[in-house]
Amino acid sequence: MRPPKRLRRRVKSAVLLGLCATAVLITLLPLASILLECFVNGAGAITPAFFLQNPPPPCNPGPTTPCPVGGIQDALLGTLLLVVVASLIALPVGILGGIYLSEFQDRPLARPARFLADVMTGIPSIVIGVFVFGIFLFFAEQGWISSFSITSGYTGAVALAVIMIPVVARTCEEALRLVPVSIREASLALGIPRHRTILRIVLSAARGGVITGALLAVARAGGETAPLLLTAGFTTGAITGLSGWTPSLPVLIYYSAAGGYANTTQLAWGAALMLVLIMLLISVGARLALRNKFGGRTA
Amino acid sequence: MAEPPVGTGTDPLPATGPAEPAGATPSPSQGPDRRRSFTGVVDRFFGGLSTLAALVLIALPALLIVIITQASWRAIVRFGPGFVIGQFWVPSASPTSPITFGAAPFVAGTLETSVIAMLIGVPLSIGAAIFLAELAPDWLRAPVASVVDLLAAVPSVVFGLWGLYVLVPYMRSNVDPALVHYLGWTPLFASHAGSQSGVSVLTASIILAIMILPTISSVSREALRATPDSQREAALSLGATRWEATRLGPLAYARSGIFGAAILGLGRAMGETMAVTMTIGNSDNFATSLFDPGQTLSSKIAINFGNALPLEKSALIELGLILMGLSLLVNVAARLMLRSMTRMGGSAP
Amino acid sequence: MTGDKLVVENLNAWYGKTHAVQDISLSFPDKRATAIIGPSGCGKSTFIRCLNRIHETQPKARAEGKVLLDGADVYADDPTEIRRKIGMVFQRPNVFPTMSIYGNVAAGLKLHGGYSHDEMDRLVIESLKKAALWEEVKEKLDQSALQLSGGQQQRLCIARALAVQPEVLLMDEPASALDPISTARIEDLIFDLKNQVPVVIVTHNMQQAARVADRTAFLYLGKLVEVAPTRDLFERPAEKLTESYITGRFG
């Protein structure tokens, strides 16, 4: 009775392991398709005008009517502004938070702060959007800001910052923890005060990891759509600073994709190609920053 | 773990260490003391600053709950607990119905899409994780793993665009007809009039399944990699096949980590907005068949928020409150699971 | 006189570019315990791991040569069947943490299948008795194996290996992670076990080899230096190298 059982076990093993390999292929398929479609449908939209124009009125090309594809100029600018302002808020807070989690980990706040930061990273971004909208709504109800300022670039930047802060804090913490205790001790033994030890020695030793974390957070913020939909709004017109409705690349893709008009659809694909390329670039950059992180250099 | 035995912010180390010979200070009674206290102040200031940042980390979730509750208070007061089971969304009064808002179809849509996404996505991502952690040769492992992780870097609106222009037509012309042909007799796959457009609960669920793949598979992969070799060898030495050794060793050892990964994926699926909004069909009715269009909590917020009047906005924010509650529940559960994994990893042989 | 149960002919093994086992030929008689001693890094672990083909499951590991079990080449058969016939106990106890005590012992039986409920119960109890663990765990068979002490866990691993009724039992420094009392119990156990199944034990502890083994082989830098009845090897080593090692001049 043993031999058939043995054969069955071998076959079962081979089949299940084969299924695991197939699962990897199935996982890679959508990624390949997404990249391919972005190139095929979007590459044609990317001309110099693509960077110098704004979205056109939707239309389908007729025999006589011209139907321009337009461009992403102000949306790209808007995304840039939003991300920069969000980073100005989130990076200092996040890195200081990460320092607390790593360097003051025996203090009572460290454990709850770490746990809640983890929980925050799992909160849907649209809920963050609702949250930040709620904050500015409250400000408006108190009369501190005009109710026209609720939907503005500043609100959007705050929403992105809220998304970024826990990500930056946790990745910064992880990076700092990789720095051996002996380096801190060596520095402190030289009489270098603690804040300088952390800022000059530990942070610099861990800079690869910290930069990676910051880049990943920037990438995540730059690709967000839902919270901006609720906070920054959108306009196909020119950007007027962050105090008004602020267009962004992801929201442009969302609005341009709707309706199925030839020109805006192509614009959406072009913008998607741009966005994906930027994301891939950042993600490759993050990997490179990690490569020469602490360990390769200092140790 | 091992905190360096150094002074805390309130207990600064002497600024004059071996680097500074005692005789070098012109007035020994004053100089070092002043420097020490100055360093102490800076150290304390810096410690305070990072404590403030930690407080922000703690305050954000608390503030989140308070603000969202506050902003949805109007709707909470007006509709009470009936909001959660209410089936209709009528933002302006008509002769047949007064203004009323109810969350039930959207809660159902969120649960429905995320459960189907899990059914499709979890086996795939665990399979991929097993391949990448246990089976793939070294030269293949790292590159394929980073490509899988790249999937997580694709913005969700791009998934939505791809879903709308690639997946939806494919579902409409290939997948849906085949499913109707073979499974149309079950209510789940019943084909209604007008439900053949390709935008449907099923399409949105498939997109979600794809989007949670990298999350679940990379966390599971880490959990599997953390299994000591001795576990694999224990199984192999009993005469296990490669699959059996994987099941007895890493899969059993990492099971709470994999479970935590799956729950993280569930959290992501429940909250995902853009890709769902663009492929689900945005219908406020209950979807009885998977081919029906539907709506989730997040897609309803995204679709209606821009043009909503204050009362409807408040109701939409209450949808956000429900979504936040669901995802908090799921995320806390996932984090606790993942934490118990690290604990087991520490004590097991 | 019993015949040789396991015969190794010209075995070579590599870890990447490291030639860890070099052309070793050695035979293991039935109903005897054979110890393999030598300084760390001499290839004794790699050698024993080739006997049940677990060496080759490591990345970049490779083995060549013949290992004959009752005359049949181990390297020509299905490795899963070989590993069932040639059981192994490792340096550190590696119980399955998610399984009960009973589940651990029954794990191998469940894999190979074909056992009735009663048969399985009987084999589990028998193996636990053989591993001298039964009295300590009979009241808590359904509890997690993790709550046993290190020594108990190692005996559980021995019971787990015995349950599938192996024809040879390999032990790779089975007591190196244990306290002296647990070590003594394991040594007693090996002494009893060898009457039922030939035991091959790797150890860096010469006293241990002297206490449990009938024959002892000395390995140095991947090569077999000498193999002899344990008493002879320790009292009248034929090779200078062996003598220096057992008198503590190196290692």
Side-chain angles (χ1 to χ4, degrees):
Chain A
M1 66 175 291
R2 206 157 253 154
K5 170 87 180 163
R6 249 170 80 192
L7 184 68
R8 237 178 53 205
R9 289 172 54 206
R10 278 167 73 173
V11 170
K12 185 179 171 190
S13 178
V15 167
L16 283 165
L17 298 180
L19 284 177
C20 290
T22 318
V24 176
L25 291 179
I26 295 178
T27 307
L28 297 179
L29 207 65
L31 181 67
S33 171
I34 288 171
L35 296 181
L36 188 76
E37 296 285 343
C38 280
F39 269 102
V40 169
N41 300 313
I46 300 184
T47 57
F50 184 71
F51 297 97
L52 302 170
Q53 292 178 1
N54 277 329
C59 59
N60 286 312
T64 52
T65 45
C67 184
V69 172
I72 58 167
Q73 178 186 267
D74 283 23
L76 192 60
L77 199 63
T79 284
L80 207 67
L81 279 174
L82 288 168
V83 169
V84 165
V85 174
S87 301
L88 287 178
I89 305 170
L91 293 184
V93 177
I95 291 175
L96 276 170
I99 288 174
Y100 187 92
L101 295 181
S102 157
E103 306 301 306
F104 302 103
Q105 52 184 291
D106 48 348
R107 301 250 189 110
L109 289 185
R111 278 172 67 94
R114 183 178 305 119
F115 186 77
L116 291 174
D118 277 343
V119 170
M120 265 316 259
T121 55
I123 297 285
S125 62
I126 193 159
V127 172
I128 306 286
V130 169
F131 165 49
V132 174
F133 176 87
I135 295 178
F136 282 78
L137 179 68
F138 176 76
F139 290 169
E141 281 168 352
Q142 304 304 308
W144 298 341
I145 59 171
S146 138
S147 61
F148 294 106
S149 305
I150 300 175
T151 305
S152 75
Y154 290 115
T155 317
V158 171
L160 295 186
V162 172
I163 290 170
M164 290 171 74
I165 286 172
V167 179
V168 175
R170 288 291 275 127
T171 47
C172 175
E173 179 203 355
E174 299 293 337
L176 292 179
R177 275 167 180 257
L178 291 178
V179 179
V181 173
S182 56
I183 290 204
R184 296 179 178 84
E185 287 170 345
S187 164
L188 290 163
L190 287 174
I192 299 172
R194 190 158 195 206
H195 68 273
R196 298 194 71 149
T197 298
I198 293 172
L199 288 176
R200 293 281 169 84
I201 314 277
V202 182
L203 205 57
S204 122
R207 66 176 173 275
V210 176
I211 293 172
T212 299
L215 283 175
L216 290 178
V218 163
R220 196 174 155 191
E224 280 295 354
T225 315
L228 294 182
L229 219 50
L230 312 192
T231 52
F234 184 69
T235 168
T236 54
I239 192 167
T240 53
L242 288 180
S243 52
W245 291 37
T246 305
S248 58
L249 209 45
V251 179
L252 178 144
I253 297 173
Y254 173 59
Y255 281 122
S256 304
Y261 292 96
N263 65 337
T264 49
T265 304
Q266 196 182 9
L267 179 66
W269 280 110
L273 178 59
M274 276 306 295
L275 194 58
V276 166
L277 285 179
I278 294 172
M279 291 298 141
L280 292 189
L281 219 65
I282 294 180
S283 144
V284 169
R287 248 167 252 273
L288 288 181
L290 204 58
R291 189 161 295 167
N292 53 14
K293 69 170 182 196
F294 178 78
R297 280 194 129 102
T298 321
Chain B
M1 278 154 267
E3 163 74 356
V6 294
T8 59
T10 52
D11 169 30
L13 275 125
T16 50
E20 198 173 340
T25 329
S27 59
S29 63
Q30 230 187 356
D33 270 6
R34 276 191 55 197
R35 270 203 60 187
R36 184 177 306 166
S37 63
F38 175 70
T39 305
V41 168
V42 177
D43 257 359
R44 207 169 301 168
F45 176 73
F46 179 72
L49 220 54
S50 57
T51 307
L52 213 62
L55 279 174
V56 169
L57 291 177
I58 294 175
L60 274 179
L63 206 60
L64 182 85
I65 295 172
V66 172
I67 289 284
I68 295 184
T69 310
Q70 195 263 344
S72 56
W73 197 247
R74 247 182 104 167
I76 294 175
V77 170
R78 173 90 178 255
F79 304 107
F83 181 80
V84 181
I85 51 167
Q87 298 184 25
F88 302 101
W89 195 272
V90 186
S92 50
S94 69
T96 51
S97 165
I99 290 180
T100 179
F101 297 112
F106 317 122
V107 174
T110 293
L111 296 179
E112 203 176 358
T113 48
S114 39
V115 165
I116 300 168
M118 294 287 280
L119 290 178
I120 303 169
V122 168
L124 275 178
S125 18
I126 294 179
I130 291 176
F131 181 83
L132 291 175
E134 300 292 323
L135 308 173
D138 280 347
W139 56 269
L140 193 66
R141 179 172 296 157
V144 175
S146 27
V147 173
V148 171
D149 290 347
L150 274 190
L151 199 57
V154 175
S156 82
V157 71
V158 176
F159 271 103
L161 183 69
W162 176 80
L164 190 56
Y165 286 102
V166 180
L167 188 61
V168 163
Y170 187 76
M171 296 294 288
R172 179 170 54 224
S173 48
N174 297 25
V175 180
D176 290 358
L179 285 174
V180 169
H181 183 79
Y182 291 108
L183 296 167
W185 51 274
T186 59
L188 219 51
F189 291 95
S191 160
H192 302 163
S195 70
Q196 295 288 310
S197 55
V199 287
S200 67
V201 168
L202 182 63
T203 308
S205 305
I206 290 175
I207 286 255
L208 281 180
I210 297 169
M211 295 181 75
I212 61 176
L213 280 174
T215 309
I216 305 182
S217 91
S218 70
V219 179
S220 309
R221 201 168 68 219
E222 292 305 314
L224 289 170
R225 294 303 298 163
T227 309
D229 261 355
S230 64
Q231 288 289 311
R232 297 177 184 90
E233 291 183 343
L236 285 173
S237 74
L238 293 172
T241 60
R242 206 159 174 200
W243 165 257
E244 288 162 347
T246 304
R247 176 168 61 79
L248 287 180
L251 264 186
Y253 194 86
R255 65 181 179 183
S256 65
I258 294 173
F259 199 76
I263 299 186
L264 273 187
L266 176 64
R268 185 159 182 212
M270 289 196 324
E272 176 46 47
T273 308
M274 298 322 295
V276 173
T277 305
M278 294 167 83
T279 53
I280 200 169
N282 313 111
S283 149
D284 287 357
N285 300 321
F286 276 108
T288 53
S289 152
L290 295 183
F291 299 128
D292 287 342
Q295 193 81 288
T296 65
L297 289 165
S298 55
S299 70
K300 182 66 183 170
I301 301 172
I303 288 282
N304 285 39
F305 204 83
N307 299 320
L309 293 170
L311 181 62
E312 187 184 6
K313 223 159 220 171
S314 175
L316 288 169
I317 294 174
E318 194 176 350
L319 292 184
L321 185 67
I322 296 173
L323 179 58
M324 182 196 69
L326 286 174
S327 67
L328 270 181
L329 211 70
V330 164
N331 271 292
V332 170
R335 291 295 163 193
L336 292 176
M337 290 305 286
L338 289 170
R339 193 182 272 190
S340 81
M341 172 188 76
T342 10
R343 213 174 295 135
M344 187 175 100
S347 67
Chain C
M1 183 69 205
T2 52
D4 288 336
K5 184 74 186 173
L6 197 63
V7 177
V8 179
E9 288 175 5
N10 307 103
L11 186 70
N12 283 283
W14 291 265
Y15 264 116
K17 289 203 165 65
T18 317
H19 195 173
V21 172
Q22 301 174 18
D23 213 32
I24 291 183
S25 297
L26 192 57
S27 53
F28 301 95
D30 205 1
K31 307 214 172 186
R32 292 283 184 276
T34 307
I36 297 171
I37 60 169
S40 21
C42 72
K44 55 191 192 299
S45 261
T46 311
F47 172 74
I48 198 178
R49 289 164 60 88
C50 287
L51 303 186
N52 69 341
R53 300 185 60 180
I54 206 140
H55 170 65
E56 68 199 40
T57 62
Q58 290 286 324
K60 294 185 180 145
R62 188 161 66 84
E64 273 172 16
K66 268 191 180 159
V67 178
L68 305 170
L69 178 68
D70 286 328
D73 191 355
V74 157
Y75 278 83
D77 201 350
D78 173 7
T80 63
E81 187 58 15
I82 289 307
R83 294 187 196 124
R84 190 195 68 74
K85 286 182 185 160
I86 305 179
M88 188 163 201
V89 177
F90 297 83
Q91 278 191 24
R92 295 181 167 274
N94 53 0
V95 298
F96 295 126
T98 57
M99 288 186 195
S100 66
I101 293 171
Y102 183 97
N104 262 279
V105 184
L109 298 172
K110 282 180 184 155
L111 286 182
H112 297 282
Y115 298 93
S116 73
H117 229 278
D118 293 345
E119 249 178 312
M120 198 164 318
D121 284 354
R122 188 178 56 75
L123 278 167
V124 167
I125 294 170
E126 202 174 280
S127 313
L128 283 169
K129 281 181 178 162
K130 279 186 196 164
L133 189 60
W134 171 247
E135 289 303 322
E136 290 154 66
V137 301
K138 63 182 178 188
E139 304 295 333
K140 47 179 184 183
L141 289 176
D142 56 347
Q143 292 178 22
S144 164
L146 272 188
Q147 49 155 285
L148 298 177
S149 71
Q152 288 174 321
Q153 286 190 17
Q154 190 62 310
R155 276 180 282 145
L156 184 64
C157 291
I158 295 176
R160 184 175 65 189
L162 291 174
V164 291
Q165 297 159 288
E167 297 171 29
V168 177
L169 186 61
L170 309 177
M171 300 179 120
D172 186 1
E173 306 207 25
S176 64
L178 303 181
D179 60 275
I181 294 171
S182 305
T183 303
R185 297 205 60 163
I186 301 267
E187 286 176 4
D188 289 346
L189 184 56
I190 297 169
F191 205 81
D192 295 339
L193 279 176
K194 69 181 186 193
N195 293 317
Q196 301 154 42
V197 52
V199 175
V200 183
I201 175 173
V202 161
T203 177
H204 61 261
N205 178 338
M206 284 179 276
Q207 284 75 30
Q208 187 169 67
R211 282 192 294 266
V212 302
D214 306 288
R215 297 194 334 141
T216 297
F218 172 56
L219 262 56
Y220 185 64
L221 296 179
K223 294 198 176 75
L224 174 67
V225 177
E226 183 174 359
V227 57
T230 301
R231 242 193 130 97
D232 295 353
L233 186 110
F234 282 110
E235 287 171 7
R236 291 181 300 278
E239 300 287 330
K240 259 257 137 343
L241 209 53
T242 316
E243 195 188 338
S244 330
Y245 180 65
I246 59 181
T247 53
R249 247 168 273 161
F250 70 91

